[in-house]
Amino acid sequence: MATITNTIPTQYYDRLQEVKQFDESKIGVKGLVDSGLTTIPRIFHQPPHNLPTPKLNAQKPKLLIPIIDLSDPRSTVVDQIHHSASILGFFQVINHGIPMKVMDHVLSSVKSFHELPKTTRMQYYCRDMSRGAGYFTNSNLYESKTAHWKDSLQVRLSPTPPKWEYVPEVCREALAEWDCEVVKLGKELMGMLSEGLGLERERLKDKSFMDSRNLFGHYYPYCPQPELTIGLKWHTDPGLLTVVLQNEIIGLQVKHGEDCIDVEPVPGGLAINIADMLQIMSNDVYKSVEHRVLANPLREPRVSVPYFFSPSKADMLCGPLPELVSPQKPAIYRQFTFSDFIQRYVMGELQGKTVRNYFKGTGQAGRNIQKLIRHTLL
């Protein structure tokens, strides 16, 4: 097995060589931790702007992510979701209809996979997603400038189902069941988000908007130098909606102005966040906000299972929904294909930029686009 070098003089540092050496070892971040290392490899060192900073005003009131009880009257829930999606872009839901035993089963099975013996995990280590499943450290490990302190299991669920034999057996049943449960919840949430915009309940539940479904089983092990790295840097999600199941270890943060809000785990709760395409489709009514995960300083691992709803058709024409465009509320974005958006999203993420601004329409071209959108269905 390759030995991972922890420290190399700056003048001799070859990032690609270190990345290749680490990736080909197939041990993941969990393997590094199990080896007993006390200093993290250089490839995981983050620039200062990616790292958390001390809170300057300890007296400032603590901001909280709203918790919405889906068993409340529907009109109340619709109003609460609309408000949270418009202001913070994040909220948590309870009494959502998914049994606690199902949630616990998903978290425990994902944790069990990441804690299998190293030699067993290595058999699954693969970046090729053509089979619909993969296991790796950082999906963009080779392209990004720095690596994140986490390992991930990825399963692409739709529109083409995965080859389930390539999904680890220890979590295969749990993830298949989770897919069925979250699809139902996702449709219910999209219906209420649609109503909050004054649209028909079914408008945002259109299959073409939500037919691409992906989930990750993230594992954030103990980090011996959490002040030097990050679990996942600031980013937005590119699709429509994300449903996040997390264990009791805190780490997920949301950016709100100059503040960072902890998404504190709620027993039986699920974190929900608006993604880029929904902000665009809502003509900036709903907000897709930056969020990150801190490196884990605790011996107990953080486990999270984000589930992403996105459009599936690369040539789908995207932009603000025609019903939400008027002379009083002109279209903020021009039309574009989903494939163009994803390509620029990937480029923007690598450069630390928000891609939505690229698709904003301005001037006469923007006004022409607004007229076109009014007569074109998404």
Side-chain angles (χ1 to χ4, degrees):
M1 182 186 74
T3 301
I4 310 302
T5 306
N6 287 342
T7 57
I8 296 179
T10 301
Q11 62 269 35
Y12 301 123
Y13 177 58
D14 184 336
R15 181 185 182 280
L16 183 58
Q17 180 182 357
E18 275 205 36
V19 164
K20 192 170 185 291
Q21 182 185 28
F22 167 72
D23 197 44
E24 291 180 350
S25 74
K26 300 185 177 183
I27 64 172
V29 173
K30 178 66 162 61
L32 293 178
V33 174
D34 290 345
S35 72
L37 89 171
T38 56
T39 58
I40 65 175
R42 174 75 176 268
I43 62 173
F44 293 96
H45 288 201
Q46 295 287 329
H49 65 267
N50 280 350
L51 297 171
T53 55
K55 295 182 179 179
L56 299 178
N57 188 357
Q59 303 302 316
K60 191 173 182 179
K62 184 179 181 180
L63 297 174
L64 299 174
I65 298 296
I67 300 173
I68 299 174
D69 188 339
L70 296 189
S71 67
D72 284 344
R74 186 178 183 88
S75 59
T76 300
V77 175
V78 168
D79 288 345
Q80 291 176 340
I81 287 179
H82 176 79
H83 180 76
S84 299
S86 303
I87 303 300
L88 289 177
F90 256 83
F91 54 93
Q92 299 203 68
V93 294
I94 58 174
N95 292 323
H96 40 66
I98 302 179
M100 179 69 82
K101 66 179 182 179
V102 174
M103 301 169 68
D104 290 342
H105 188 203
V106 173
L107 287 172
S108 63
S109 67
V110 169
K111 183 174 183 286
S112 294
F113 165 70
H114 286 283
E115 295 179 353
L116 287 172
K118 177 177 62 180
T119 53
T120 303
R121 293 197 317 274
M122 289 170 66
Q123 297 174 28
Y124 291 98
Y125 197 93
C126 178
R127 297 182 176 278
D128 179 9
M129 288 298 297
S130 62
R131 303 176 301 190
Y135 164 56
F136 41 74
T137 298
N138 300 191
S139 58
N140 60 354
L141 181 65
Y142 287 89
E143 296 83 9
S144 63
K145 295 178 181 179
T146 54
H148 301 148
W149 196 257
K150 69 176 172 69
D151 295 328
S152 302
L153 171 68
Q154 180 182 2
V155 182
R156 288 180 179 168
L157 299 159
S158 175
T160 303
K163 296 180 180 178
W164 283 101
E165 63 269 26
Y166 292 104
V167 177
E169 185 176 4
V170 68
C171 54
R172 190 180 301 159
E173 178 185 348
L175 296 183
E177 184 177 20
W178 188 242
D179 179 36
C180 295
E181 295 286 356
V182 179
V183 165
K184 291 184 289 187
L185 175 61
K187 289 180 178 178
E188 183 66 15
L189 291 171
M190 291 302 286
M192 289 188 280
L193 285 161
S194 188
E195 290 180 60
L197 293 170
L199 305 175
E200 293 293 329
R201 184 182 301 185
E202 302 299 315
R203 185 65 171 100
L204 291 175
K205 293 163 64 175
D206 188 298
K207 183 179 180 182
S208 63
F209 298 159
M210 302 177 63
D211 196 37
S212 176
R213 307 193 311 273
N214 281 268
L215 69 75
F216 285 80
H218 292 318
Y219 186 91
Y220 301 87
Y222 163 72
C223 180
Q225 294 180 299
E227 72 281 3
L228 296 181
T229 190
I230 200 82
L232 184 59
K233 71 176 184 178
W234 290 117
H235 67 287
T236 60
D237 297 341
L240 263 77
L241 193 72
T242 306
V243 177
V244 183
L245 171 64
Q246 56 180 345
N247 71 350
E248 71 280 4
I249 305 300
I250 199 167
L252 177 60
Q253 292 186 327
V254 175
K255 184 179 288 187
H256 181 62
E258 298 299 316
D259 296 311
C260 297
I261 310 175
D262 292 317
V263 184
E264 298 182 4
V266 175
L270 293 167
I272 312 296
N273 68 274
I274 305 301
D276 287 343
M277 288 305 303
L278 188 50
Q279 174 166 339
I280 291 170
M281 291 167 61
S282 73
N283 207 20
D284 267 4
V285 174
Y286 294 149
K287 302 298 187 291
S288 173
V289 298
E290 290 187 289
H291 48 286
R292 70 178 177 187
V293 179
L294 302 178
N296 181 14
L298 305 176
R299 290 291 177 177
E300 182 67 21
R302 170 179 166 80
V303 179
S304 71
V305 184
Y307 186 112
F308 303 92
F309 290 98
S310 302
S312 62
K313 297 180 180 178
D315 60 351
M316 188 180 87
L317 200 58
C318 303
L321 294 173
E323 304 96 304
L324 302 179
V325 175
S326 68
Q328 293 73 35
K329 178 67 172 177
I332 295 172
Y333 302 92
R334 60 182 174 84
Q335 287 193 318
F336 52 87
T337 62
F338 186 61
S339 61
D340 187 20
F341 180 84
I342 290 299
Q343 290 171 8
R344 293 187 181 278
Y345 174 87
V346 173
M347 292 171 56
E349 281 295 292
L350 294 176
Q351 298 168 9
K353 299 178 181 178
T354 300
V355 72
R356 289 190 310 271
N357 291 337
Y358 176 84
F359 294 99
K360 287 187 174 180
T362 57
Q364 185 59 47
R367 288 189 287 274
N368 290 339
I369 289 165
Q370 291 159 16
K371 292 178 182 178
L372 177 62
I373 290 175
R374 292 177 201 141
H375 297 87
T376 306
L377 291 178
L378 184 64

